[in-house]
Amino acid sequence: MVRKSNLSWKGSGKDGKGSVTTQSGVLKDTQISWHSRFEDGIGTNPEELLAAAHAGCYSMKLSFVLASKNFISESIDTVCSVTIDNGAITLSNLDVTAKVPGITMEQFQECALEAKENCVVSKLFNTLITLKATLV
């Protein structure tokens, strides 16, 4: 399986602008710029897209891990925050809250950790990945 996106950039790093389009069409000519990355400019940025990818991948992986142990979640809500320091991504923080009938806290924590360690985006990042898992 191969997934792709296309980014077109014009101009210098700080003053230039770009647009990103994903294969699915969910993003189509979406603005991307230095200002949307480091200030409050309009558009998206690479770290926001990475955070969305990590939250999505993790949530799906957690649902598969739970199902493999005969648990079906009613909901999984994941917030991912990506931190940049000195030109490198230094942290991807996953904060998940899930409602899973019949599971104990210990079982849930084991599933949450397994999903964190084995989702493909976690495997891609060469950074510290932290996790806070809350069962409701």
Side-chain angles (χ1 to χ4, degrees), residues 11-27:
S12 67
K14 188 170 182 178
D15 297 321
K17 291 185 179 174
S19 63
V20 61
T21 299
T22 56
Q23 179 179 347
S24 67
V26 170
L27 298 179

Side-chain angles (χ1 to χ4, degrees), residues 2-8 19-30 32 44 46 49-50:
V2 175
R3 298 286 187 242
K4 64 181 180 177
S5 63
N6 179 61
L7 191 127
S8 176
S19 63
V20 61
T21 299
T22 56
Q23 179 179 347
S24 67
V26 170
L27 298 179
K28 181 157 179 57
D29 298 322
T30 301
I32 188 168
T44 190
L49 296 171
L50 289 170

